[in-house]
């Protein structure tokens, strides 16, 4: 075929792609539906031109369209890796990891249930072998969430819900294609009725092998990109090569799923690379991938749609009954997942509660598209698949795809409206009225000042002021007549706005590079979690999320276990340094929010709500300050280095801004400005390299600061620092309960704990100890001890504590003073201790 003609057709398809997006917006239909319809119309029009004798002028173009060299390999090896890789790069994986249970369960179980449902239903009503029926089930089990997700975003549905749908769909496609490859092998080998025992053992290898292949490929690519740290275009070029090499390597070298490899490679790069790139470089890379994915997604849709007339050429009347069976079985399988499994996961606290209207919308919005057609095309191209199987696979997959696109896709917005998801709740409607009234009042004041400053014509000003005043009066009336908002709801809405302002402030500082690239994603992720927790739990949800952001997570505890038990300190040192930077950035951000509360929230929600938000914000600042002070006491030298590094980054940002202003004013030429920017870039790269944290040295310094160990010589302090075990605990953690055996003594390095015993409550802070009474009295513990702040504790076992007590008069005095506070005679402690000796 003439290369110029093919080029012209592809260029024309880009024109169609460009026109499809505004057309979809105007018709309020999903973008994929418009692309599919346009592709079908183009293919049908070309076929009509070839089969009629009205004109021969367009025959060469029509023949080229009909016979375009579209093969399944083009979809699977060119377009699909781009779509999958970009989807993983664009996801907030840290937030998605919070919901990994529902995502994995929904994705894998949904694919298996849909495959089995469609497969056995077709096997029951048709003469096809079971392997071919299961192959069709795997083909139609892929879903395209773009339509329902875009609508959910437009109606302000919960972000967490949209994230679960996107993650489930991504892994859904990967699992479905892995199953497709397995059943395709059975069909080509002539295995008519594979059993579950034959099929399922192969499935985990496809998944695990693909995941390991993608991880290895991403680590190699990251190493290569690190060598090109000063060349952004080179790094982007390496990222473009990664998904294709991961896909081909997994398929051809390992024999695992290439799709899983691409997903794993994208996730790995997403998790490890943003912290090593400048924020703008990462933004540029994701923008390039966004454009590539947009083109790939549009082309795969429209090219697949061109194949639909060809795939339906051999359709028979009886095939429509089989298409109906596929529709019913696939819809029923999806309904079982949404209305059976999802409520079960919610009841087990493994998934957020998804309201029934949203689940109904997800069910109706489960469109099938280009991936389904590409897999069907792969079957029809294989010479090792029986002709009747190829014919039915093409017809059934195409028929089901057309049903979801034309019937479900065109009515999805109507279903959303029927479910009432596009309407504001009474609270949000009342708030909307108040927001409009406050905003219009501010606008009126600003317009009046502008008219005065620019000395505009009085007649024009009066005419426009009258029109604007009428609109303002209407807004005020609507706000007064609207439903009353409870203070509880006002607080929730105010906290959501406050958390959103915090996120905007963080993003601004990330762009300005006041916050290092290494922790930028974590800080933004914490802000997103704060917003979602507030939406779900109101004031209590906000407080829980705030405490969690300064607490010690499971990964931190795992790193501590590796350090204490196996001597592997690298992970703990890195996470401790990250925590230090994270807390410093939080403190920086939170101190800017008081003005936002007074300037914005107070005008909408009133003084009482604003005062309460000030109080909650003050508690957060106090909590962060306590955590920062604890780390500063724990790692004094390292804290100074990090704070100096922060000041240097701020100074570089201000210096860069000054040079830019001079360049705009013409005071600095282009060549000099370039040289100055290169110098700043070199100094910034040096400032971004974080100093190493030596936990052993830092703990020795920490032990030296304890007043209890002041009379120890240098050698004794060194031995003590080696045997003390560090334990990090969150606020609310119970350290031990009544009647538990006494085995250790605790020293508070930072934070605070609360002891409850015999109806009395005692609070202890930094430098104090607890747990020694039960050991010295040789009795079970009589107190309940819990942390009342994120705390760092040093733990010493009973034998070493008794040995240390004998040698330290200062420690003996501390034990006596502690006993007197609790009403215990000090002589009893020493007497029991001497007996034990």
């Amino acid at each position: 075929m003439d290369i110029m003609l093919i080029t012209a057709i592809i260029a024309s398809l880009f024109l169609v792609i460009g026109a499809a997006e505004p057309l979809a917006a105007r018709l309020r239909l999903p973008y994929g539906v418009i692309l599919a319809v346009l592709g079908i119309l183009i293919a049908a029009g070309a076929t009509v031109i070839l089969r009629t004798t009205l004109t021969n002028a367009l025959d060469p173009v029509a023949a080229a369209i009909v016979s375009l060299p579209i093969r399944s390999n083009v979809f699977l090896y060119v377009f699909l890796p781009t779509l999958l890789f970009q989807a993983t790069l664009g996801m907030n994986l840290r937030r998605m990891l919070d919901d990994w249970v529902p995502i994995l369960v929904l994705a894998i179980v949904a694919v298996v249930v849909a495959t089995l449902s469609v497969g056995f239903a077709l096997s029951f009503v048709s003469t096809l072998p079971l392997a071919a029926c299961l192959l069709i089930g795997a083909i139609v089990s892929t879903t395209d969430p773009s339509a329902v997700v875009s609508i959910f975003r437009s109606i302000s549905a919960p972000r967490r819900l949209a994230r679960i749908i996107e993650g489930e769909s991504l892994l859904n496609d990967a699992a479905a294609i892995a199953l497709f490859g397995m059943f395709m092998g059975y069909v080509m080998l002539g295995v008519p009725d594979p059993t579950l025992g034959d099929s399922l053992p192969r499935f985990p290898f496809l998944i695990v092998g693909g995941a390991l292949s993608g991880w290895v490929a991403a680590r190699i690519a990251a190493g290569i990109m690190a060598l090109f740290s000063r060349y952004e275009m080179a790094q982007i070029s390496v990222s473009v090569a990664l998904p294709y090499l991961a896909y081909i390597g997994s398929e051809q070298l390992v024999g695992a799923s290439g799709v899983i490899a691409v997903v794993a490679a994208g996730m790995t790069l997403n998790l490890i690379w943003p912290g090593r790139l400048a924020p703008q470089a990462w933004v540029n890379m994701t923008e390039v991938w966004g454009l590539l994915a947009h083109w790939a997604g549009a082309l795969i849709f429209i090219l697949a749609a061109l194949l639909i007339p060809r795939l339906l050429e051999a359709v028979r009347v009886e095939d429509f009954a089989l298409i109906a069976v596929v529709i019913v079985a696939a819809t029923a399988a999806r309904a079982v997942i949404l209305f059976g499994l999802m409520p079960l996961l919610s009841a087990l606290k493994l998934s957020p509660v998804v309201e029934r209207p949203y689940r109904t919308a997800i069910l109706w919005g489960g469109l099938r598209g280009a991936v389904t057609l590409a897999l069907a095309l792969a079957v029809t191209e294989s010479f090792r698949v029986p002709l009747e199987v190829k014919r039915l696979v093409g017809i059934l997959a195409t028929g089901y795809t057309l049903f979801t696109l034309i019937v479900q896709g065109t009515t999805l917005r109507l279903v959303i409206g029927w479910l009432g998801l596009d309407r504001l709740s009474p609270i949000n409607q009342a708030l909307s009225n108040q927001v409009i009234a406050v905003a219009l009042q501010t606008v009126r004041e600003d317009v009046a000042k502008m008219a005065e400053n620019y000395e505009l014509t009085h007649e024009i000003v009066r005419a426009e002021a009258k029109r604007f005043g009428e609109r303002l009066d209407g807004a005020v009336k609507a706000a007064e007549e609207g439903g009353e908002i409870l203070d509880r709801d006002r607080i929730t809405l105010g906290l959501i706005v406050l958390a959103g302002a915090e996120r905007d402030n963080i993003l601004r500082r990330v762009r300005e590079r006041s916050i290092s690239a290494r922790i930028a994603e974590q800080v933004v992720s914490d802000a997103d979690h704060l917003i979602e927790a507030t939406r779900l739990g109101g004031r209590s949800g906000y407080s829980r999320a705030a405490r969690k952001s300064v607490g010690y997570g499971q990964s931190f505890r795992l790193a501590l276990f590796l350090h204490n038990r196996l001597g592997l300190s690298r992970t703990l040192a890195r996470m401790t340094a990250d925590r230090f930077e994270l807390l410093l950035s939080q403190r920086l951000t939170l101190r800017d929010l008081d003005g936002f509360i007074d300037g914005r929230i107070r005008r909408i929600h009133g003084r009482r709500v604003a005062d309460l938000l000030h109080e909650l914000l003050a508690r957060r600042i106090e909590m962060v300050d306590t955590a920062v002070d604890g780390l500063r006491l724990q790692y004094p030298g390292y804290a100074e280095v990090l704070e100096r590094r922060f000041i240097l980054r701020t100074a570089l940002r201000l210096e860069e801004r000054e040079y830019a202003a001079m360049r705009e004013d013409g005071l600095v030429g282009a060549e000099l400005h370039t040289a100055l920017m290169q110098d700043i870039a070199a100094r910034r790269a040096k400032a971004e390299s974080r100093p190493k944290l030596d936990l052993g040295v830092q703990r020795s310094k920490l032990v030296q600061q304890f007043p209890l160990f002041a009379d120890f010589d240098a050698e004794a302090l060194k031995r003590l620092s080696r045997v003390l075990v560090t334990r990090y605990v969150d606020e609310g953690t119970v350290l031990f309960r009544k009647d538990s055996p006494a085995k250790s003594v605790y020293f508070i390095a930072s934070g605070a704990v609360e002891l409850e015993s015999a109806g009395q409550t005692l609070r202890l802070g930094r430098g104090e100890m607890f747990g020694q009474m039960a050991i010295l009295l040789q009795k079970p513990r009589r107190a309940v001890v819990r942390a009342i702040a994120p705390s760092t504790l040093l733990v010493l076992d009973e034998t070493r504590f008794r040995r240390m007590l004998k040698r330290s008069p200062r420690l003996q005095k501390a034990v006596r003073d502690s006993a007197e506070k609790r009403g215990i005679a000090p002589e009893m402690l020493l007497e029991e201790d001497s007996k034990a000796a």
Side-chain angles (χ1 to χ4, degrees):
M1 187 179 293
D2 188 358
I3 186 64
M4 287 191 297
L5 190 56
I6 293 180
T7 304
I9 292 173
I10 297 298
S12 300
L13 291 180
F14 272 94
L15 290 177
V16 174
I17 291 169
E21 190 169 3
L23 182 60
R26 186 175 183 83
L27 298 177
R28 296 175 61 82
L29 290 174
Y31 180 52
V33 172
I34 296 297
L35 285 175
V37 170
L38 291 176
I40 294 171
L41 292 176
I42 292 171
T47 304
V48 170
I49 290 173
L50 283 178
R51 294 182 180 180
T52 60
T53 58
L54 294 177
T55 178
N56 296 326
L58 298 177
D59 283 359
V61 177
I65 292 175
V66 171
S67 58
L68 268 178
I70 305 172
R71 299 290 181 268
S72 61
N73 287 343
V74 175
F75 295 114
L76 298 178
Y77 285 91
V78 177
F79 295 133
L80 192 59
T82 302
L83 293 174
L84 295 174
F85 191 75
Q86 188 275 334
T88 55
L89 280 186
M91 288 180 173
N92 187 340
L93 292 181
R94 295 184 185 277
R95 297 294 301 115
M96 194 165 286
L97 289 175
D98 293 341
D99 298 307
W100 68 272
V101 173
I103 289 173
L104 279 182
V105 172
L106 290 174
I108 296 175
V109 174
V111 167
V112 173
V113 170
T115 300
L116 295 179
S117 299
V118 174
F120 282 104
L122 280 177
S123 177
F124 182 74
V125 300
S126 71
T127 58
L128 287 173
L130 179 60
C133 295
L134 292 173
L135 177 63
I136 296 172
I139 290 173
V140 302
S141 63
T142 61
T143 59
D144 178 8
S146 58
V148 69
V149 169
S150 63
I151 292 177
F152 275 8
R153 287 174 177 168
S154 68
I155 61 177
S156 300
R159 289 185 185 178
R160 190 177 184 188
L161 177 58
R163 188 168 58 243
I164 289 176
I165 297 170
E166 287 181 299
E168 183 249 344
S169 176
L170 179 67
L171 299 180
N172 176 300
D173 283 352
I177 294 173
L179 278 177
F180 164 81
M182 183 174 65
F183 290 123
M184 184 69 171
Y186 288 133
V187 172
M188 290 191 298
L189 292 174
V191 180
D193 299 314
T195 63
L196 290 179
D198 297 329
S199 306
L200 294 183
R202 172 74 176 154
F203 187 60
F205 172 76
L206 295 172
I207 302 294
V208 176
L212 289 176
S213 301
W215 179 80
V216 170
R219 298 296 300 191
I220 294 173
I224 296 173
M225 292 166 73
L227 299 176
F228 306 151
S229 57
R230 296 178 57 189
Y231 306 97
E232 185 178 318
M233 293 298 125
Q235 292 178 326
I236 294 176
S237 300
V238 173
S239 75
V240 171
L242 172 58
Y244 298 101
L245 295 179
Y247 189 101
I248 295 171
S250 180
E251 292 271 346
Q252 302 300 322
L253 299 179
V254 182
S257 170
V259 175
I260 297 292
V262 172
V263 172
M267 288 183 172
T268 303
L269 200 66
N270 189 333
L271 288 173
I272 67 174
W273 198 245
R276 304 181 186 182
L277 278 179
Q280 190 58 45
W282 177 253
V283 170
N284 293 340
M285 179 181 291
T286 54
E287 285 180 351
V288 168
W289 271 104
L291 182 59
L292 291 176
H294 175 74
W295 286 341
L299 283 173
I300 194 175
F301 239 115
I302 201 165
L303 290 176
L306 291 175
L307 298 173
I308 289 178
R310 190 189 312 175
L311 292 171
L312 293 178
E313 281 181 344
V315 67
R316 302 170 187 168
V317 176
E318 57 268 24
D319 295 335
F320 289 100
L322 296 180
I323 293 174
V325 170
V326 173
I327 292 171
V328 172
T331 304
R334 188 70 172 163
V336 167
I337 299 298
L338 291 170
F339 295 95
L341 186 58
M342 286 193 76
L344 178 61
L345 293 177
S346 299
L348 296 175
K349 306 299 183 183
L350 297 176
S351 170
V353 176
V354 180
E355 302 296 335
R356 183 179 293 272
Y358 285 112
R359 281 181 277 149
T360 304
I362 295 169
L363 175 64
W364 196 247
L367 308 184
R368 271 62 169 179
V371 175
T372 300
L373 294 176
L375 297 180
L377 181 63
V379 177
T380 63
E381 291 174 354
S382 176
F383 66 90
R384 299 174 65 181
V385 176
L387 290 176
E388 181 62 14
V389 173
K390 289 197 289 187
R391 186 188 74 84
L392 281 176
V393 167
I395 289 172
L396 296 183
T398 304
Y400 182 55
T401 300
L402 285 176
F403 172 82
T404 62
L405 289 174
I406 295 174
V407 178
Q408 295 179 206
T410 57
T411 59
L412 181 56
R413 281 197 176 271
L414 295 176
V415 172
I416 294 287
W418 175 69
L419 294 171
L421 296 178
D422 58 345
R423 294 189 291 273
L424 290 175
S425 66
I427 295 175
N428 285 332
Q429 183 61 57
L431 176 64
S432 173
N433 294 334
Q434 294 199 3
V435 167
I436 292 172
V438 171
L440 290 181
Q441 288 173 355
T442 304
V443 170
R444 182 176 65 176
E445 296 169 2
D446 293 342
V447 169
K449 292 178 183 178
M450 183 190 71
E452 182 179 349
N453 292 337
Y454 288 96
E455 298 181 354
L456 299 179
T457 307
H458 292 293
E459 290 76 10
I460 296 176
V461 172
R462 280 197 299 268
E464 291 301 319
K466 181 179 179 181
R467 294 174 58 186
F468 191 85
E470 292 174 354
R471 185 184 173 200
L472 176 58
D473 291 340
V476 171
K477 184 178 180 182
E480 292 173 350
E481 294 177 352
E484 184 67 23
I485 305 177
L486 299 177
D487 283 349
R488 179 189 61 194
D489 297 325
R490 285 188 179 276
I491 293 168
T492 298
L493 294 169
L495 286 173
I496 292 172
V497 174
L498 183 64
E502 180 179 342
R503 186 181 190 278
D504 293 339
N505 196 354
I506 289 169
L507 291 176
R508 177 176 60 82
R509 293 187 179 278
V510 169
R511 288 192 296 269
E512 294 175 348
R513 306 182 80 167
S514 300
I515 296 176
S516 70
R518 183 182 186 91
I519 65 162
E521 187 178 0
Q522 179 62 47
V523 178
V524 175
S525 178
D526 287 343
D528 288 336
H529 184 261
L530 189 68
I531 295 172
E532 293 176 10
T534 308
R535 287 184 183 277
L536 293 174
R539 179 179 174 181
S540 60
Y542 180 89
S543 300
R544 283 195 301 270
R547 287 195 299 270
K548 184 178 179 181
S549 68
V550 300
Y552 302 103
Q554 294 296 331
S555 57
F556 197 94
R557 293 189 178 91
L558 176 61
L560 181 64
F561 173 82
L562 295 175
H563 169 69
N564 289 338
R565 299 300 175 87
L566 303 179
L568 303 176
S569 303
R570 183 176 178 181
T571 302
L572 180 61
R574 176 180 57 79
M575 296 186 72
T576 301
D578 285 346
R579 174 176 169 78
F580 222 132
E581 282 201 72
L582 196 70
L583 291 171
L584 286 175
S585 65
Q586 274 195 25
R587 185 168 65 175
L588 175 74
T589 303
L590 292 176
R591 293 185 181 277
D592 291 341
L593 295 179
D594 280 310
F596 180 82
I597 294 174
D598 290 330
R600 292 286 184 179
I601 296 179
R602 184 186 295 269
R603 299 190 65 181
I604 297 174
H605 296 291
R607 180 177 177 179
R608 282 191 303 173
V609 173
D611 290 344
L612 181 58
L613 296 191
H614 277 303
E615 182 182 342
L616 291 173
L617 184 61
R619 290 180 190 171
R620 280 193 67 193
I621 293 175
E622 182 183 359
M623 192 162 46
V624 172
D625 285 345
T626 301
V628 170
D629 291 342
L631 284 172
R632 185 180 285 112
L633 292 168
Q634 194 172 350
Y635 308 111
Y638 193 74
E640 294 177 5
V641 173
L642 286 185
E643 290 176 343
R644 192 178 299 116
R645 180 166 165 258
F646 167 75
I647 294 173
L648 177 59
R649 282 203 309 268
T650 304
L652 287 173
R653 175 177 59 83
L654 296 174
E655 184 180 353
E656 184 178 32
R657 187 179 66 185
E658 287 300 313
Y659 292 152
M662 292 180 183
R663 177 75 178 90
E664 291 177 1
D665 294 339
L667 300 176
V668 173
E671 293 183 358
L672 177 57
H673 181 263
T674 301
L676 292 172
M677 289 299 100
Q678 289 175 348
D679 177 62
I680 287 180
R683 284 186 287 151
R684 178 174 281 132
K686 185 177 180 180
E688 286 291 335
S689 59
R690 193 167 60 190
K692 183 179 179 181
L693 174 61
D694 189 332
L695 294 175
V697 173
Q698 295 289 335
R699 186 160 60 182
S700 298
K701 293 181 179 179
L702 175 64
V703 171
Q704 293 172 15
Q705 295 176 19
F706 261 83
L708 295 176
F709 309 137
D711 55 355
F712 282 48
D713 58 35
E715 185 61 29
L717 284 173
K718 187 176 180 180
R719 290 196 303 269
L720 180 61
S721 66
R722 285 199 297 265
V723 298
L724 284 168
V725 177
T726 308
R727 184 177 177 187
Y728 300 89
V729 294
D730 284 334
E731 177 185 353
T733 302
V734 177
L735 298 168
F736 52 75
R737 301 181 184 276
K738 290 181 180 179
D739 300 324
S740 60
K743 298 180 180 179
S744 304
V745 178
Y746 298 79
F747 300 89
I748 304 174
S750 65
V753 300
E754 188 176 73
L755 287 77
E756 293 182 5
S757 178
Q760 295 182 339
T761 299
L762 179 66
R763 291 190 172 185
L764 304 177
R766 179 180 178 271
E768 297 186 273
M769 64 178 169
F770 60 93
Q772 74 278 7
M773 296 300 174
I775 286 178
L776 296 177
L777 292 172
Q778 294 185 327
K779 295 179 179 179
R781 300 195 189 278
R782 295 300 180 189
V784 177
V785 180
R786 64 171 53 85
I788 57 176
S791 304
T792 303
L793 308 175
L794 300 179
V795 186
L796 190 65
D797 63 75
E798 177 183 354
T799 303
R800 289 188 175 94
F801 173 72
R802 290 183 181 277
R803 196 182 304 157
M804 185 174 66
L805 183 63
K806 291 179 182 178
R807 296 198 302 264
S808 173
R810 184 180 290 270
L811 190 59
Q812 292 172 9
K813 182 177 184 306
V815 169
R816 291 193 189 94
D817 292 343
S818 177
E820 290 175 355
K821 282 184 181 180
R822 304 179 200 185
I824 300 174
E827 295 77 13
M828 291 179 58
L829 296 178
L830 297 178
E831 182 182 347
E832 293 292 342
D833 192 40
S834 61
K835 289 180 181 179

